[in-house]
Amino acid sequence: MRNKYRPTLLLTSLCILFLSTAPSHAVPLSQLLYNINSLNISTTISHISNHNTLLAHQEKRQEYEQEEAQPDRQVYLSQLFLASQLSMDLEDILDSPDLDSCQMCHQSMRLAKTFALQAPDLVPGLLRELCLKYKFRRPDTCEGLWERLGPELIGIFSELNLDGSDGYYTCAYAFPGSCPLPVHQPNPITFPKPKPANAQQPPPSGETIQVLHFSDWHVDPLYQRGSEAKCSHNICCRDYGRFNDPGPIKKPASKWGESKCDTPIALGVSALEAIQKFVPEAAFGIFTGDIVSHDSWMITQKYVEDEETRSYELFKQYLQEIKLYVALGNHDSYPSDQAPGKERPNSYITHKWLYDHVADIWEKNNWITSVEADYAKSHNAMFMTRPMPGLKLITLNTDLYYVRNYFTMLDTEQDDPSGLFHDLILELQDSEDRGERVWIMGHMAPVARSLPRSSILFQRIVARYSPHVIAGLFFGHFHLDKFIVMHDPDLPQGEDSAVNVVYQGPSVTPNDRMNPGIRWYDVDAKTFSILDSHTAIADVMTHSTEWELNDQDPLWTHEYSAKALYADRTSPEGSNENPAASDPLSPQFWYSAVERMRHDRDLFKQYLEFQSKSSSEAKPCPKDSACERETLCQMQASTVIAAEACIEEEVAAHKHGKASKKASKKAPFGRTRAGREIILQEYDAQRGVMDGLAAMARIGIRRLERSKDEF
């Protein structure tokens, strides 16, 4: 019987490999210029190529190349033969009863890489046809992703060690479920100095300042009022031309945003006006990334540059003298998600335009100094600054441990190939020696969608320098308003092991069925500990059409105070569970809140409501559901592995101790959890992985036998 997963595995295996040899001369899908002038916003689209234009251009380019190059007929026929042979070999691999999905992935990758090196001229068209035939993505998306990621993957794939851990990581993360996720246990960290005995955060000073936090702006200059808001594209509220969904518009896009759309410029301006309303005297602000819209298959380098330039100009216009400190998000690069570390200079130089671009803007806006800007240019746009005396702010480029950054599939046997955590330790040690507090900010906290090894390293570093040095951890990315308690891995998990808290900021974009939100903190002016967290929202999901019909601006309201909502009023005032007004929100405060949610359904429902910023379109999360278990686990999970292990334990407990059925090792694409630890050398022997020559020998015998039968 033919393997039912053959099309998916064939396609995914070929996609990443064939992209690796796509020509580097890209054809832009869109060129975008737009200007934002005060409240009068105009958007000018200089050129947006539609699908027909792109295909016509490619056909003419192919004709031109054929006329110029006149490839040797024998070489061309040889390449066609290789393509036919590749198809047969892949079918044999995918039909083999001797191979499981992981082995299929590895063998398919080896074959496809060989073909890509021998017949590169046939690769782009084959990739496009496969993507279209098996509907891996929409037709326009197939074209766009091939064009953008192809040049990037050339260098990445040429350096992958497919026989080592790089190959396992690539199969596990690029083709989810094909292979178990390798759990790379990092070596113990040798810190510059041991942690001081009885390290405690400093006592409250009684003085308070306010600090702004907003995230995930995702402004869409192509947002079109009245267009389809419930489309089949990744993002809606746009005119996609011939790729618009057929039939009448089901829901016209409102002026103020929709649940499956990025931020219209009008809503973005409204959010900045809300900042002026709620935190006009902020000591400073932080923005935890993602300026650019979600259309990663359409963007160009020019588009990214313009989005960032105009958005930062708008931030400066509304924040005036309030300094804003920025971390890059995964959508702030081109191509999206991709970021080589500074330890790979040949790759780094191809992305340096981005780091130079944003650092120059930040310096121009007087947000960072020239010295800090120079550092950012040579360190993936990361920098350290001191917003106030006694406080150091450290920014991270979290793409350096993001699983969708294909550069992280290289050098996977190393604990810290980019050097990010090495530099972080040195900065934290410097602050401990100086007796100053530290805030760490980035786009994505390394507790989800991150490499397990990076997640473990971050937990160890936070535990070493908490609670006396690190006063706060601030991230975004998931569009949710939430928090995560960080625990010391050397202690049994409980109240005493809680050492810090991740504050995950709400998004401005309403995408993912969320209302837009902004946040600010009441902060101790001397210790920089968080005294309270506040969120303000505009209920776009309920009132956008009403506001538009009545020609009204969005109404932004104060949604909740964390201290007022989560304090345990049954505990003595001044305790960790019920802190006084001048007391910080300690890790024990947040730990207590999570534990009470396990038994207090009303409190948990309130948390869920505020997580979506009171969205009427938020996904339901019923009692005893997988959603409930995952949400509770994630609030206490310091690492990717801890989150997955907690979820598995909760599932087992929910089934009254009966372990869930394990997927057969022969079942292709049986999903595995990140907590499953494997040792690569033992894995080959245990699973009977055939080496390349043995596999090819068996495949050749089967093909010969099949040919004889057909003859």
Side-chain angles (χ1 to χ4, degrees), residues 479-482 514 607-613 631:
H479 299 185
L480 300 169
D481 183 332
K482 61 186 295 185
M514 307 287 172
Y607 173 81
L608 291 174
E609 179 182 341
F610 291 156
Q611 181 177 252
S612 69
K613 293 154 283 181
T631 301

Side-chain angles (χ1 to χ4, degrees), residues 499-658:
V499 292
N500 222 303
V501 179
V502 170
Y503 290 92
Q504 187 171 295
S507 65
V508 173
T509 181
N511 197 4
D512 290 335
R513 301 159 69 171
M514 307 287 172
N515 277 320
I518 60 172
R519 182 189 282 176
W520 67 95
Y521 304 102
D522 296 333
V523 180
D524 190 297
K526 301 298 182 183
T527 70
F528 304 102
S529 297
I530 304 300
L531 305 178
D532 202 355
S533 172
H534 303 267
T535 298
I537 66 164
D539 192 356
V540 168
M541 296 299 103
T542 303
H543 298 295
S544 61
T545 302
E546 173 191 338
W547 291 332
E548 184 173 13
L549 290 175
N550 295 324
D551 196 24
Q552 296 175 327
D553 290 338
L555 175 63
W556 288 78
T557 59
H558 180 264
E559 184 183 34
Y560 78 101
S561 150
K563 183 172 283 187
L565 176 63
Y566 297 119
D568 183 0
R569 302 305 178 189
T570 65
S571 298
E573 184 176 358
S575 63
N576 286 327
E577 296 79 9
N578 186 18
S582 61
D583 291 337
L585 301 180
S586 67
Q588 287 69 35
F589 168 86
W590 289 108
Y591 176 84
S592 169
V594 177
E595 291 304 302
R596 283 188 290 118
M597 286 184 210
R598 295 183 184 277
H599 310 288
D600 186 341
R601 180 67 187 176
D602 290 338
L603 182 62
F604 182 63
K605 287 173 64 177
Q606 190 72 80
Y607 173 81
L608 291 174
E609 179 182 341
F610 291 156
Q611 181 177 252
S612 69
K613 293 154 283 181
S614 299
S615 170
S616 58
E617 295 193 19
K619 298 175 183 178
C621 192
K623 183 176 176 60
D624 295 328
S625 65
C627 166
E628 180 185 69
R629 293 189 291 272
E630 290 180 7
T631 301
L632 289 169
C633 282
Q634 289 167 356
M635 285 192 283
Q636 293 273 28
S638 303
T639 66
V640 174
I641 298 171
E644 299 288 7
C646 173
I647 292 169
E648 289 188 343
E649 290 173 4
E650 290 287 340
V651 169
H654 182 67
K655 293 183 177 181
H656 307 290
K658 294 182 179 180

Side-chain angles (χ1 to χ4, degrees), residues 256-286:
W256 300 112
E258 299 289 344
S259 62
K260 200 183 174 185
C261 307
D262 272 332
T263 310
I265 296 175
L267 177 61
V269 170
S270 178
L272 295 174
E273 291 174 336
I275 290 172
Q276 293 180 323
K277 171 184 175 182
F278 289 103
V279 271
E281 303 298 327
F284 61 91
I286 57 176

Side-chain angles (χ1 to χ4, degrees), residues 61 64 139 162 191 324 376 412 466 476 491 505 547 552 561-562 638 681:
R61 186 180 68 193
Y64 173 80
L162 297 181
F191 291 102
L324 184 69
T412 53
S466 295
L491 297 174
W547 291 332
Q552 296 175 327
S561 150
S638 303
Q681 293 79 4

Side-chain angles (χ1 to χ4, degrees), residues 251-444:
K251 186 180 190 307
S254 74
K255 175 182 179 180
W256 300 112
E258 299 289 344
S259 62
K260 200 183 174 185
C261 307
D262 272 332
T263 310
I265 296 175
L267 177 61
V269 170
S270 178
L272 295 174
E273 291 174 336
I275 290 172
Q276 293 180 323
K277 171 184 175 182
F278 289 103
V279 271
E281 303 298 327
F284 61 91
I286 57 176
F287 175 74
T288 47
D290 269 6
I291 291 287
V292 182
S293 52
H294 283 94
D295 53 331
S296 57
W297 71 98
M298 291 183 66
I299 64 171
T300 64
Q301 179 176 325
K302 178 64 174 174
Y303 181 98
V304 171
E305 288 178 321
D306 287 344
E307 278 247 44
E308 291 169 343
T309 298
R310 307 311 177 195
S311 294
Y312 292 140
E313 287 177 352
L314 194 61
F315 293 172
K316 178 64 176 178
Q317 176 184 334
Y318 278 86
L319 297 180
Q320 294 294 315
E321 298 306 312
I322 298 174
K323 287 193 174 184
L324 184 69
Y325 302 104
V326 178
L328 286 188
N330 59 300
H331 285 280
D332 294 331
S333 57
Y334 177 81
S336 297
D337 308 328
Q338 306 309 304
K342 60 183 174 60
E343 303 301 322
R344 309 190 71 84
N346 292 337
S347 299
Y348 188 89
I349 195 66
T350 64
H351 286 248
K352 196 173 185 300
W353 66 267
L354 171 64
Y355 310 135
D356 291 349
H357 173 65
V358 295
D360 284 340
I361 296 175
W362 300 341
E363 181 185 359
K364 176 185 175 183
N365 286 349
N366 196 33
W367 295 342
I368 60 175
T369 67
S370 60
V371 173
E372 292 160 354
D374 288 342
Y375 185 92
K377 292 175 183 179
S378 60
H379 289 77
N380 297 91
M382 297 184 287
F383 61 89
M384 286 70 63
T385 188
R386 289 182 170 83
M388 299 181 69
L391 175 66
K392 178 191 288 183
L393 179 65
I394 301 174
T395 66
L396 304 179
N397 185 330
T398 60
D399 277 352
L400 295 176
Y401 50 71
Y402 186 33
V403 296
R404 291 183 181 174
N405 174 13
Y406 291 120
F407 285 99
T408 64
M409 302 296 107
L410 298 171
D411 303 320
T412 53
E413 75 284 354
Q414 298 181 28
D415 292 346
D416 184 25
S418 70
L420 180 150
F421 295 110
H422 170 270
D423 294 347
L424 177 60
I425 289 172
L426 294 182
E427 289 297 331
L428 289 169
Q429 186 59 57
D430 171 70
S431 293
E432 183 178 76
D433 294 342
R434 293 171 181 264
E436 64 184 358
R437 305 302 302 283
V438 171
W439 282 12
I440 298 174
M441 63 175 284
H443 182 58
M444 180 179 61

Side-chain angles (χ1 to χ4, degrees), residues 37 93 98 129 148 160 258 350 381 441 487 494 501 582 668 702:
N37 299 315
I93 288 175
D98 300 322
E129 292 306 314
R148 283 150 183 75
L160 278 176
E258 299 289 344
T350 64
M441 63 175 284
H487 290 269
V501 179
S582 61
R702 283 198 296 272

